[in-house]
Amino acid sequence: MKNQEIAALFEKIANVLELKGENTFRINSYHKAARVIGDLAEDIEILAKAGKLTDIPGIGEGTAEKIIEYINSGKMSKYDEVMQGVSEETVALMQIPGLGPKTVALLNKELGIVNLSDLEKALHGDTLKGLFGIGDKKIENIVKGITLFKTSQQRISIGMAYPVVKRIIEELKHNPKIEDIQAAGSLRRMKETVGDIDILVSGAEGTEIVKSFVNMRGVTQILAAGDTKGSVRIEEGVQVDLRVVREDEFGAALQYFTGSKEHNVHLREIARKKGLKVSEYGIFRGDKKVGGRLEEEIYATLGMDWISPELRENRGEIEAAQEGKLPKLVELSDIKGDLHNHSNWSDGIPTFEEMAEHAIKMGYKYLVVSDHSKSLHIANGLEDDELLEEIEAIDKLNKKFKGFTLLKATEVDIKSDGSLDFPDKLLKKLDIVVASIHSGFKQGTEKITERMIAAIRNPQVNIIAHPTGRLISKREGYEIDMDKVIEACAETGTALEINCFYDRLDLNDINCRKAKEAGVMISISTDAHHLDQMWMIELGVGIARRGWLEAKNVINTFSLDKLKTFCRKKGMPSP
Ligand code: DGT
Ligand code: CA
Ligand code: CA
Ligand code: ZN
């Protein structure tokens, strides 16, 4: 149902008109339209189709036209017109509890405040007080409103959301009334952060299904519980939406609720040109439904290959699907080992034996032990002689395994002058060398790029770990020139890492795709310090798929021999 979507648009139009100081009669009529549509029990699309919009009290001819335009095209020209000259940032200010259009207009006129950071500065500088009836109480409310607004805007890492969804789906699967169940939204697309979690189920008894959903464990607040939709907040602080659809509409709904919005808008455009219509209920030619039970039917009817959810960002995937040129994306089952892990020899928890045992259980053929180097005191980095001992210990242990190998490695620190923390003759004794930056983050672009490229040019270095150093929602990456880094990796046969640790996911999807296009190989590895972190390989595979990577672009899909050849080749003098 598009009821809430349309109501929100009218509300926004009313607010922006008010902000602009337009006449009250029209503003009130938009507020009213927003309210009645928001409260409507019936589906507004169905009413529109039946020509019954003007039967709704508060909806006149003009409003009805706008609704029909939006339903047909996904656009409302009145909205676009009203938004002229107003930034989204200013409109967002009006969503802060306690801040209506009148106050925002006042703040704008008197203090030039157009966005949240302006407002926070003004609050800090105490310039608000005394401004036309803004007293202590009002200021207190605004401060509270900002806190609330920020919490509601918070996105959580996929690393938190992903296991939560697995748990919820496992629990709901036991309900015999549920036929199909699938995660949708940004989580299914494996975006690095998600705003809320969307779950889609099919089944005939919506009310019962929603009831079991809102009563599951971990729910802290029930936001909505109807016969087709339930919405809750859970312990992890995130909102989870459940939608119940009919079995024969499951594919269409899954397609719609997986998004992204941009992908869906583009698909609908293509549909329109072909005389088709795509909605969450199915794909239609005129009034005739021509598909909708399976997601594949939607794409096939539109004349294209089925598109993996991770690609659905409207970044060229639709054109590729039309031409039959989608990449054959790397899969979790392609991964033969993890190339970045820490043992209890540095700052990890597990022993080699425990790491190997866990890796074998995961179906891996090899696992890299890459403990830190000596400069990293806080991480208990290894001295040269300790690394030699570690090599010996791993060699000895490897004799016990059949069809599995622990690889001797290090995560060697790239020092602030670009030199490495271990001498080359020591690095030569290893199977793989992972190098990374852990200090001097504030060096300017030129310096830090040169520093990394110096490491890339070292013939012993095989992989650059967490190449930008960013921590999601905590720290921007260093200001590195990724294009130059990618170029140097391509020239030298050095791989870049997708660090799968949930707060890193570094490289990100965009840089992955750039690297692939430049012919740079990628390592998808967890940086696990604990056995319970090795599952995060799944997150990295998600990012790789979002970056259009195929198995052949990823070095840890290689057999052990091929991987060793890849590493050895770099160290060889060029002919
Ligand atoms: P999120 O939750 O912010 O990480 O991102 P999504 O993509 O999960 O977005 P969400 O939860 O608002 O909606 C789930 C999907 O439903 C979205 O990816 C596409 C579809 N959808 C939601 N609202 C709209 C809309 O206004 N227009 C269109 N075309 N699709 C929408
Ligand atoms: Ca979502
Ligand atoms: Ca949602
Ligand atoms: Zn590490």
Side-chain angles (χ1 to χ4, degrees), residues 184-186 195-199 229 231 239-243 257:
S186 50
D196 68 4
I197 294 172
D198 304 282
I199 296 175
K229 192 182 163 183
S231 192
Q239 181 177 327
V240 186
D241 292 342
L242 179 91
R243 287 188 186 76
F257 289 112

Side-chain angles (χ1 to χ4, degrees), residues 86-355:
V86 185
S87 75
E88 283 289 349
E89 278 187 313
T90 307
V91 175
L93 274 181
M94 295 189 284
Q95 288 166 14
I96 295 173
L99 273 191
K102 284 208 183 67
T103 316
V104 173
L106 183 70
L107 295 174
N108 191 335
K109 190 156 155 257
E110 298 297 327
L111 300 171
I113 291 172
V114 294
N115 57 33
L116 183 55
S117 98
D118 288 350
L119 176 60
E120 289 186 304
K121 266 185 218 141
L123 284 167
H124 243 72
D126 225 358
T127 46
L128 245 56
K129 204 170 140 183
L131 200 73
F132 303 97
I134 297 187
D136 282 335
K137 189 77 202 153
K138 176 86 181 168
I139 288 181
E140 197 184 304
N141 276 338
I142 294 176
V143 172
K144 271 194 199 143
I146 291 176
T147 314
L148 262 174
F149 177 72
K150 281 190 169 164
T151 337
S152 71
Q153 298 290 297
Q154 254 169 21
R155 303 178 62 79
I156 72 161
S157 152
I158 180 116
M160 315 271 244
Y162 190 81
V164 167
V165 167
K166 275 198 172 172
R167 182 190 80 204
I168 294 176
I169 290 182
E170 265 320 300
E171 183 163 342
L172 292 182
K173 261 187 186 162
H174 295 302
N175 185 336
K177 302 211 158 74
I178 292 178
E179 310 218 7
D180 273 321
I181 180 160
Q182 269 256 32
S186 50
L187 188 116
R188 185 167 181 238
R189 303 199 312 278
M190 295 298 282
K191 246 186 111 164
E192 59 194 35
T193 63
V194 304
D196 68 4
I197 294 172
D198 304 282
I199 296 175
L200 190 70
V201 304
S202 63
E205 294 174 53
T207 316
E208 286 296 304
I209 292 172
V210 171
K211 209 183 259 172
S212 72
F213 168 70
V214 300
N215 286 321
M216 70 188 175
R217 78 197 148 92
V219 171
T220 54
Q221 194 188 356
I222 299 172
L223 303 167
D227 55 353
T228 58
K229 192 182 163 183
S231 192
V232 297
R233 198 163 277 282
I234 57 170
E235 281 162 1
E236 286 81 359
V238 67
Q239 181 177 327
V240 186
D241 292 342
L242 179 91
R243 287 188 186 76
V244 188
V245 301
R246 284 175 18 193
E247 182 63 20
D248 64 339
E249 293 169 347
F250 188 76
L254 185 61
Q255 197 291 315
Y256 179 85
F257 289 112
T258 296
S260 67
K261 196 171 165 188
E262 292 73 16
H263 174 90
N264 287 353
V265 166
H266 192 167
L267 272 194
R268 270 183 261 160
E269 249 170 53
I270 289 170
R272 211 172 311 125
K273 284 188 194 137
K274 291 182 181 279
L276 294 159
K277 186 174 171 289
V278 179
S279 74
E280 63 257 55
Y281 305 109
I283 180 160
F284 302 86
R285 188 178 294 284
D287 284 337
K288 193 171 179 292
K289 184 166 169 181
V290 290
R293 202 183 75 75
L294 298 172
E295 198 174 51
E296 284 80 356
E297 293 167 3
I298 310 287
Y299 289 97
T301 310
L302 291 174
M304 62 184 83
D305 292 341
W306 177 81
I307 300 174
S308 292
E310 296 92 336
L311 297 180
R312 299 184 196 170
E313 299 291 346
N314 199 28
R315 292 178 186 155
E317 74 281 6
I318 291 176
E319 292 79 359
Q322 286 174 319
E323 293 164 19
K325 286 184 179 156
L326 283 169
K328 190 182 174 318
L329 298 179
V330 59
E331 288 174 24
L332 183 62
S333 58
D334 293 323
I335 302 292
K336 296 203 172 66
D338 187 331
L339 307 182
H340 184 168
N341 297 277
H342 299 274
S343 78
N344 62 348
W345 281 57
S346 65
D347 60 343
I349 304 295
T351 63
F352 301 153
E353 290 88 343
E354 288 165 339
M355 291 169 78

Side-chain angles (χ1 to χ4, degrees), residues 460-486:
Q460 303 314 318
V461 171
N462 305 116
I463 300 169
I464 299 292
H466 40 76
T468 78
R470 65 104 175 242
L471 292 177
I472 295 175
S473 319
K474 270 186 264 168
R475 180 176 82 202
E476 302 267 317
Y478 8 96
E479 291 169 355
I480 201 153
D481 185 335
M482 193 44 71
D483 292 338
K484 285 202 177 128
V485 168
I486 286 174

